[in-house]
Amino acid sequence: QVQLVQSGAEVKKPGASVKVSCKTSGYTFSNYDINWVRQATGQGLEWMGWMNPNSGNAGYAQKFQGRVSMTRNTSTGTAYMELSSLRSEDTAVYYCARLPLWGLPFWGQGTLVTVSS
Amino acid sequence: QSVLTQPPSASGTPGQRVTISCSGAGSNIDSTTVNWYQQFPGAAPKVIIYSTNQRPSGVPDRFSGSKSGTSASLAIGGLQSEDEANYYCAAWLDTLNGWVFGGGTKLTVL
């Protein structure tokens, strides 16, 4: 079965970077883009960007451009999202998700990133 | 402010039918896919409708999705207390080359 399993919770200081991983299984990694979505406590869902595992190409929401990088390791079927210059407003649960335009979505379990001095 | 507009809250009594709207006025969602997610506090979103009107295995047929023009809708028939949750719509927009989410609707079963 399709699974996306994310790395554990992180605590970072303002100005630092965080890198969250998303290990996939149960399907051919290169066939589906991986998206990243975040959710601050008590807030809605916010799409951050997508990454094509086949080409490595990525597209980011304007809000995060220059501060986010989405990469992958095709040999392990793992996607990564790195967010830099962290500030308190970046405290949120970060989700990876397989979101085909026409097809069943699958989500990871989420990774809590806390930014605090 | 979300590109997709949902009512912040909705409510109904057990057994009732409730509809949650997702308006994409100006966003041309009539030609794109719409997904609906159910989310309980502290849990990851769960897809209940994908590709506008498809139900994943295991989701009761009380849940249905539709789209007309620039709006999409989620209907929940035979409302149950376990349906009390937050619901989000999501659509892919070519103009943004990305997904957009509605602001979410908190459904209360009275």
Side-chain angles (χ1 to χ4, degrees), chain A residues 35 39 47 50 99 101 103 107, chain B residues 33 37 39 50-51 97-99:
Chain A
N35 291 256
Q39 185 174 38
W47 180 79
W50 57 264
L99 303 177
L101 264 62
W107 289 59
Chain B
T33 185
Y37 297 95
Q39 188 180 35
Y50 67 98
S51 300
N97 194 31
W99 288 91

Side-chain angles (χ1 to χ4, degrees), chain B residues 92-103:
Chain B
W92 173 268
L93 295 185
D94 285 338
T95 50
L96 298 179
N97 194 31
W99 288 91
V100 290
F101 288 89

Side-chain angles (χ1 to χ4, degrees), chain B residues 57-108:
Chain B
S57 173
V59 173
D61 60 7
R62 303 185 293 105
F63 293 87
S64 62
S66 62
K67 193 171 58 172
S68 178
T70 58
S71 287
S73 295
L74 171 70
I76 309 173
L79 200 61
Q80 299 181 8
S81 58
E82 67 207 48
D83 299 331
E84 189 163 290
N86 290 306
Y87 292 85
Y88 295 90
C89 62
W92 173 268
L93 295 185
D94 285 338
T95 50
L96 298 179
N97 194 31
W99 288 91
V100 290
F101 288 89
T105 298
K106 180 176 175 57
L107 176 63
T108 301

Side-chain angles (χ1 to χ4, degrees), chain A residues 1-6 20-36 50-57 70-81 96-100 106:
Chain A
Q1 71 280 26
V2 174
Q3 286 192 308
L4 289 76
V5 179
Q6 299 183 223
V20 180
S21 68
C22 171
K23 181 161 176 57
T24 69
S25 61
Y27 72 99
T28 302
F29 180 60
S30 59
N31 285 357
Y32 295 88
D33 292 353
I34 292 292
N35 291 256
W36 291 87
W50 57 264
M51 184 274 301
N52 183 298
N54 192 38
S55 64
N57 291 341
M70 296 178 187
T71 58
R72 89 290 192 214
N73 181 328
T74 54
S75 63
T76 63
T78 303
Y80 301 91
M81 186 283 299
C96 62
R98 195 185 95 172
L99 303 177
F106 287 91

